Amino acid sequence: MPGTPTIVIVDDAAEVRALVRTRLRLSRRIEVVGEGADGAEAVALAAEHRPDLLLLDVSMPGIDGLEALPRVLEASPETRVVMYSGFTEEMLARRSRDLGAAAFLEKSTSLDSLVDDLLALLDVAPQRVAGADDGGPASQAAVDPVLQEHLERFQEVFKDAAIGMATMTLTGRLVRPNRNLARLLGRPIGELVGTAYADLVYDEPQRLAEAVDSILRAENDVVRVEHAVAGVSPRRRVQATVSAVQDARGRPLYLFLQVQDVTRQRTAEEALRRTESRFGLLVEAVQDYAIFMLDPDGRIASWNAGAQRSKGYTAQEIIGQHFRVFYPPDKQAEGHPEHELELALRDGRYEEEGWRIRKDGTQFWANVTITAVRDRRDRHVGFAKVTRDNTERRHLLEEQRRSAEALAAANLKLRSANERLALVAEEQANFLAVTAHELRAPVGVLAMSAETLVRHWKDLTDEERVEFFEAMTDSSGQLRRLLADLLTASRLQARALDLHLEVISVEAALGSAVALARRSDPAAAIHVAASTGLFVTADAGRLSQTVGNLVSNALKHGIAPVHLRADAREDTVEIAVLDAGPGVPTHMQERLFDRFATGSAGGTGLGLFIVRELCRAQGGDAFHRPEDGAFVISLPRATNAPSDLDRT
């Protein structure tokens, strides 16, 4: 083939197009002449460029790849169309080829072989262009056997599910139906692949299209549409549930369909409805309905037993009165009863629900229907009025609404509790794993050192014995620190830490922390800059522990000199500890104060967690300041110095 082959890339994911475009450019063997995001653009680009190749995604909004494929070939018959999809389904590949695709490539395959796969369709032999990027090894790591097993089990469950299931493109074309869906729709699986599901809807297919559009517009997460199945006898009615499968950014990748047969359920419901209707007419007409006639002016002309029961008037008391007597005073004043008659006369029928008044002055919630009555000559002779007392039903609906709200609130609490339990379980597992890891090294040193001393005491030199004893001392010290940190962390989490809050001089507290640090390292270069007259409300021992922990970290992991600064803020005092070292690596900054977060060997990973939790327990906080690498603790500021009585 003369010249460099040309290609058009069509995929609704911009990042996929960018990745494929870059790999093709780096190969220097195929020229990208156009890009599109849906099937309509694919057709237009094919007609404009008439490329040698067109890489076409299957699931796209608007016009998907399967629908666009024949149109692309019609616009540019010489173009080789390659379907490029995240779906891994042999029947979809077969359907694509039936529609004219030259090949079907899965997005899960390596990009390293994409260029050769495309060129092979043009009968171009694989080759390597000097200076071109080959993208690294062509093979992918083998799938984890456990993951493969779970995948196979999922596929088995999907195929043999008791309800119909399928994946669909974003335009609603079936890609991977299961056996039960094929049974419900009365068609072979192979025939369903590539078929628009809306074509299988017997009644109101537009409702399904609108439902899918509402998902793509992010108006709904899940939609349900009940419909009859086209071409199936006897008539079958199903409920289709459609939801979107989204990527990490929340964009829909494809649609997931679940279909259940509700034919027997709806038939039973309809039979029950007819039975209840006949029975209701027999009973409720006497007990629950007030049925009477009005003359053309709205005066009561007849009365029945149900009307007497619901409204409290006898026939002798009410016949001849205007029916406005049943309405609250405000409705009478605004002429609402007369307006109802006008609407019934104009439209033939009027219906509403509202409050009505009984003879004794009590109110009830009524469903009212007024029908204009005409004789055989179409002359208006009056109105038939049917009133039902729905007060109990209204109360029941209100109670159901309140119960539903209470149930939703209880479910929310239960979900929150489950999430907390899951978090606790995860933290407990992490705690056990890290604790075991931290214990293993010092315990191993103690055990091996002791064993060596016992077995080879006479063979060891004095210097070797000293080394073993020092190693045992260091390991026991590490164990003591770990146990102390674990105990403090446990008490903090259980809110069982005993704190004695008092007004403390910041200058004195920093001095004590520095003195303690110099006991273990007399030559430590530590500089303190604290304004006099700064006081905080804190536990003296815990404040010394938090500052000492930060200073010890700076001496151990940083570069001297170490600086301590105390500055007053509006309601707090901030104590900053920083050194001359390079600072905390960026990847560690977000989890510095998490439990068991450590960037070096020999640490428990609890030090900074304890610092922050101790500060929070005293009404303050602790944080890392990236701009200068300082670790800062913030505590409530006390405006007055402690009195002599307080110090006693």
Side-chain angles (χ1 to χ4, degrees):
M1 174 175 294
T4 303
T6 59
I7 189 169
V8 168
I9 304 171
V10 180
D11 196 301
D12 61 326
E15 61 271 19
V16 173
R17 298 199 305 272
L19 180 60
V20 173
R21 179 184 66 244
T22 301
R23 296 304 287 268
L24 294 179
R25 179 183 64 81
L26 292 175
S27 75
R28 303 182 186 176
R29 300 166 64 192
I30 301 179
E31 179 185 0
V32 178
V33 295
E35 294 183 32
D38 59 35
E41 294 182 6
V43 176
L45 289 168
E48 177 184 356
H49 297 286
R50 296 189 176 274
D52 298 310
L53 295 162
L54 192 145
L55 196 63
L56 183 61
D57 187 17
V58 172
S59 181
M60 296 181 290
I63 299 177
D64 61 30
L66 292 176
E67 185 177 355
L69 175 55
R71 303 185 191 180
V72 169
L73 294 174
E74 182 179 353
S76 179
E78 68 277 8
T79 297
R80 302 290 182 90
V81 180
V82 179
M83 305 304 291
Y84 195 49
S85 174
F87 295 111
T88 57
E89 178 64 28
E90 176 59 32
M91 288 190 178
L92 176 61
R94 189 181 308 155
R95 177 61 174 165
S96 300
R97 295 189 184 94
D98 291 342
L99 292 173
F104 183 94
L105 298 180
E106 297 176 6
K107 292 181 180 179
S108 59
T109 59
S110 173
L111 285 174
D112 301 334
S113 60
L114 178 61
V115 174
D116 287 337
D117 291 341
L118 293 173
L119 291 176
L121 299 174
L122 302 176
D123 297 325
V124 177
Q127 61 179 348
R128 176 178 177 83
V129 178
D133 180 13
D134 63 3
S139 62
Q140 296 182 324
V143 178
D144 187 326
V146 176
L147 179 60
Q148 180 64 32
E149 181 182 353
H150 283 286
L151 180 60
E152 292 173 356
R153 290 182 180 177
F154 170 77
Q155 292 173 343
E156 291 175 1
V157 171
F158 179 86
K159 291 179 180 178
D160 300 329
I163 63 173
M165 292 182 179
T167 51
M168 299 193 299
T169 67
L170 296 179
T171 57
R173 288 186 180 275
L174 296 169
V175 173
R176 186 179 187 180
N178 71 350
R179 297 190 185 99
N180 222 338
L181 182 63
R183 181 188 63 80
L184 290 174
L185 301 180
R187 291 163 175 83
I189 291 180
E191 181 180 329
L192 290 177
V193 174
T195 300
Y197 186 74
D199 294 344
L200 306 174
V201 177
Y202 177 76
D203 49 349
E204 300 183 73
Q206 186 59 29
R207 286 181 55 211
L208 182 69
E210 293 171 353
V212 171
D213 287 343
S214 72
I215 292 180
L216 299 182
R217 292 194 301 268
E219 296 174 358
N220 295 297
D221 294 328
V222 178
V223 293
R224 293 179 176 83
V225 177
E226 187 172 315
H227 65 87
V229 179
V232 175
S233 182
R235 183 60 49 83
R236 177 175 294 151
R237 196 157 191 84
V238 298
Q239 184 180 73
T241 303
V242 183
S243 58
V245 177
Q246 301 174 336
D247 63 13
R249 298 183 182 180
R251 298 175 303 184
L253 294 173
Y254 56 90
L255 302 177
F256 184 66
L257 171 71
Q258 300 177 73
V259 178
Q260 292 178 281
D261 188 349
V262 295
T263 307
R264 297 175 66 180
Q265 179 182 347
R266 295 296 178 262
T267 302
E269 289 174 353
E270 179 61 21
L272 179 62
R273 188 194 64 77
R274 289 196 297 267
T275 301
E276 289 178 344
S277 177
R278 289 192 293 267
F279 182 75
L281 289 175
L282 176 65
V283 177
E284 294 175 2
V286 177
Q287 297 185 4
D288 292 337
Y289 287 92
I291 304 174
F292 53 94
M293 288 291 297
L294 304 177
D295 66 18
D297 296 325
R299 297 187 179 277
I300 299 167
S302 68
W303 201 246
N304 78 332
Q308 180 173 335
R309 185 191 66 80
S310 64
K311 299 180 182 292
Y313 295 95
T314 64
Q316 292 78 10
E317 293 172 326
I318 199 64
I319 290 178
Q321 293 194 49
H322 198 280
F323 84 111
R324 73 168 67 91
V325 70
F326 305 131
Y327 290 75
D330 59 326
K331 294 295 183 181
Q332 294 186 34
E334 65 187 34
H336 185 69
E338 291 79 4
H339 183 59
E340 289 182 346
L341 297 183
E342 293 173 0
L343 295 177
L345 186 59
R346 184 193 70 186
D347 302 329
R349 184 175 181 272
Y350 176 80
E351 182 176 356
E352 74 163 17
E353 288 194 355
W355 292 109
R356 298 294 184 265
I357 307 297
R358 296 188 180 95
K359 177 183 177 182
D360 60 8
T362 59
Q363 290 187 334
F364 67 98
W365 186 259
N367 176 274
V368 177
T369 302
I370 301 176
T371 304
V373 179
R374 300 179 181 276
D375 62 15
R376 293 182 178 179
R377 297 182 181 181
D378 199 33
R379 293 178 300 184
H380 178 228
V381 296
F383 301 91
K385 189 170 188 292
V386 180
T387 301
R388 183 183 183 185
D389 183 352
N390 276 344
T391 308
E392 184 177 352
R393 178 174 176 269
R394 177 181 172 86
H395 291 162
L396 178 61
L397 291 175
E398 285 293 319
E399 182 63 30
Q400 288 177 342
R401 181 185 61 80
R402 289 191 292 268
S403 298
E405 291 175 353
L407 180 60
N411 286 335
L412 183 61
K413 291 181 179 178
L414 179 60
R415 185 162 54 250
S416 177
N418 287 336
E419 290 173 355
R420 289 197 300 270
L421 286 173
L423 180 60
V424 168
E426 182 180 354
E427 289 181 346
Q428 183 180 22
N430 189 35
F431 169 81
L432 293 173
V434 175
T435 302
H437 178 270
E438 294 299 330
L439 285 172
R440 188 176 295 115
V443 169
V445 171
L446 285 171
M448 288 187 291
S449 297
E451 181 183 1
T452 301
L453 288 171
V454 170
R455 292 186 177 184
H456 305 287
W457 177 267
K458 294 180 180 180
D459 301 325
L460 298 173
T461 65
D462 291 340
E463 290 79 4
E464 289 174 330
R465 293 170 186 161
V466 169
E467 287 179 357
F468 281 117
F469 282 125
E470 288 177 348
M472 294 174 71
T473 301
D474 291 342
S475 296
S476 62
Q478 187 176 348
L479 286 175
R480 284 195 300 271
R481 289 192 300 273
L482 175 61
L483 292 176
D485 286 350
L486 289 172
L487 180 60
T488 302
S490 176
R491 288 176 175 173
L492 283 168
Q493 187 173 12
R495 303 292 190 271
L497 195 65
D498 189 14
L499 296 175
H500 301 284
L501 300 181
E502 57 182 326
V503 178
I504 299 171
S505 167
V506 174
E507 186 177 14
L510 296 186
S512 298
V514 172
L516 183 61
R518 284 178 174 156
R519 289 182 187 175
S520 57
D521 188 1
I526 306 173
H527 303 290
V528 180
S531 303
T532 58
L534 289 181
F535 298 92
V536 293
T537 302
D539 183 294
R542 296 303 181 181
L543 176 57
S544 177
Q545 180 182 356
T546 55
V547 176
N549 193 317
L550 295 180
V551 172
S552 176
N553 278 353
L555 290 172
K556 184 184 301 182
H557 305 295
I559 298 175
V562 175
H563 295 272
L564 275 74
R565 291 193 56 178
D567 297 299
R569 299 290 182 258
E570 184 175 352
D571 298 317
T572 62
V573 172
E574 290 187 355
I575 300 172
V577 179
L578 62 159
D579 61 74
V584 179
T586 304
H587 71 277
M588 281 291 299
Q589 290 180 7
E590 291 186 0
R591 56 189 188 93
L592 270 175
F593 292 90
D594 292 348
R595 286 194 303 174
F596 307 114
T598 177
S600 63
T604 65
L606 290 171
L608 291 178
F609 169 78
I610 291 173
V611 166
R612 184 187 63 182
E613 296 304 314
L614 283 175
C615 290
R616 289 180 176 178
Q618 299 173 85
D621 206 346
F623 56 91
H624 174 252
R625 199 163 56 199
E627 55 267 26
D628 60 359
F631 287 86
V632 183
I633 62 175
S634 173
L635 292 170
R637 183 181 179 186
T639 56
N640 299 321
S643 65
D644 292 338
L645 181 59
D646 293 334
R647 285 192 283 267
T648 59

